[in-house]
Amino acid sequence: MRLALAESVRSWILSEGTSEAALLERPLSIGRLPECDLSLAGENVSRRHAYLLPTPEGPMLVDRSQFGTWVNGERMTVPRLLADGDSLEIGGHTITVKAVSRSRASEAVPAGGALRLRRWVVRYGPSELLGTIVTVGAATSMFALTGSTVAAAFAGTLAEVVVYYGVMILRETIREAYEAGRRHAPYGTVQVIGVIRNVVMEFGIAEALDSGVIRPFCLSMGLTLVGGQAGVLVGKLAADLVFYGPVLAAYEWRLARAQSERQTAQEGRRHRPTGQMLREEEG
């Protein structure tokens, strides 16, 4: 009976509301970052809050947060093996542990479209929101001063470029500095330059065409055909539709390549000690 159960229940699922994440061969990450396997919002959720590790005895939960993790109402102080039906509390979120078959676990992988949309909103949303505000303000102010749609279009474009990428680089720098500090690793000018380089590689030619040609043209046409703040918004939306196509494609390609490299590395680590698996997953 026990052997039959072991053969049929080979995987585990963490369930939080309508979200699910499956524990298969590699550690499962829980945290606030969008790339975590189970991404949770909230100020009391660390970026990489906890890990669930596959072990021969069952799933082992390791808390890496400063806010704490509770299992069945008790705060964790050491890594803990979980059982079917256990309840986890992380930053106000209630997560249920379920033992399932491997085929059922494969169904728990989030739908590709929904997962990608969440990643895009988290990554680009803050920059886009602040960029929109300054674009409208700069373009309409310049038009009021000069009466020129061309000058207004370039003013709006320049303002958006400065704010959009400033916010993007600042967020990435803070995130990487935090992670480096948690690992007691150095973080300075070289690492910041690396952040800037990665942002340039991510946007590349798409940004050059966008800021030099497409966005000024769209903003100018919006001001000409619609006028006012509404015209700037219409022009910005049109430019964004052109801009984000290649940008999102490049971003997803980078993530897919990184995931493929991690999976290749993890194939050689399946039988390594649990502590070593966790260190390599974090590092």
Side-chain angles (χ1 to χ4, degrees):
M1 178 70 176
R2 182 167 300 187
L3 178 61
L5 179 61
E7 292 177 346
S8 62
V9 179
R10 297 180 179 177
S11 299
W12 300 80
I13 284 178
L14 296 184
S15 176
E16 193 271 327
T18 58
S19 300
E20 290 184 333
L23 175 67
L24 299 174
E25 289 84 8
R26 67 176 182 84
L28 185 153
S29 58
I30 307 169
R32 199 168 71 242
L33 292 177
E35 56 262 36
C36 288
D37 297 299
L38 186 62
S39 183
L40 305 174
E43 295 181 354
N44 292 327
V45 180
S46 296
R47 288 173 171 83
R48 289 187 174 90
H49 194 102
Y51 288 90
L52 191 63
L53 309 178
T55 73
E57 293 78 21
M60 177 176 289
L61 184 64
V62 180
D63 180 26
R64 293 293 193 185
S65 73
Q66 60 178 317
F67 302 110
T69 299
W70 283 257
V71 179
N72 299 327
E74 298 180 0
R75 181 165 184 167
M76 289 182 56
T77 56
V78 295
R80 175 167 175 169
L81 283 172
L82 301 180
D84 184 30
D86 279 349
S87 178
L88 314 181
E89 293 286 340
I90 295 178
H93 298 270
T94 300
I95 304 167
T96 304
V97 180
K98 301 177 182 178
V100 297
S101 65
R102 181 171 292 272
S103 60
R104 172 65 182 87
S106 65
E107 299 173 0
V109 178
L115 184 60
R116 285 194 295 271
L117 180 60
R118 184 180 68 184
R119 282 201 301 261
W120 298 344
V121 170
V122 171
R123 177 159 181 78
Y124 303 108
S127 294
E128 190 62 44
L129 176 61
L130 294 176
T132 299
I133 294 173
V134 299
T135 299
V136 173
T140 53
S141 297
M142 181 61 72
F143 183 74
L145 289 173
T146 65
S148 169
T149 59
V150 174
F154 276 100
T157 298
L158 178 60
E160 181 171 15
V161 167
V162 172
V163 172
Y164 185 95
Y165 292 107
V167 172
M168 179 75 67
I169 292 170
L170 179 62
R171 293 178 68 215
E172 286 294 299
T173 300
I174 293 174
R175 181 180 69 83
E176 289 194 1
Y178 173 85
E179 293 298 328
R182 193 170 62 85
R183 299 193 304 268
H184 305 288
Y187 195 88
T189 303
V190 173
Q191 287 73 28
V192 174
I193 292 175
V195 170
I196 297 173
R197 182 184 65 247
N198 290 337
V199 170
V200 171
M201 290 176 60
E202 180 176 346
F203 293 93
I205 297 176
E207 172 54 34
L209 291 174
D210 178 75
S211 59
V213 179
I214 297 172
R215 193 162 301 269
F217 174 77
C218 291
L219 292 179
S220 178
M221 292 301 296
L223 283 167
T224 300
L225 298 176
V226 180
Q229 294 180 352
V232 177
L233 288 173
V234 169
K236 177 179 167 26
L237 177 60
D240 286 344
L241 291 175
V242 178
F243 171 70
Y244 275 111
V247 166
L248 294 177
Y251 177 57
E252 290 298 322
W253 176 79
R254 286 175 55 227
L255 289 180
R257 185 180 65 175
Q259 182 178 11
S260 177
E261 292 173 351
R262 286 196 302 268
Q263 288 175 345
T264 300
Q266 286 157 4
E267 285 296 322
R269 304 203 307 257
R270 285 188 180 182
H271 304 294
R272 297 187 184 182
T274 297
Q276 186 174 354
M277 287 178 63
L278 179 58
R279 288 193 298 271
E280 293 179 351
E281 182 73 14
E282 289 184 311

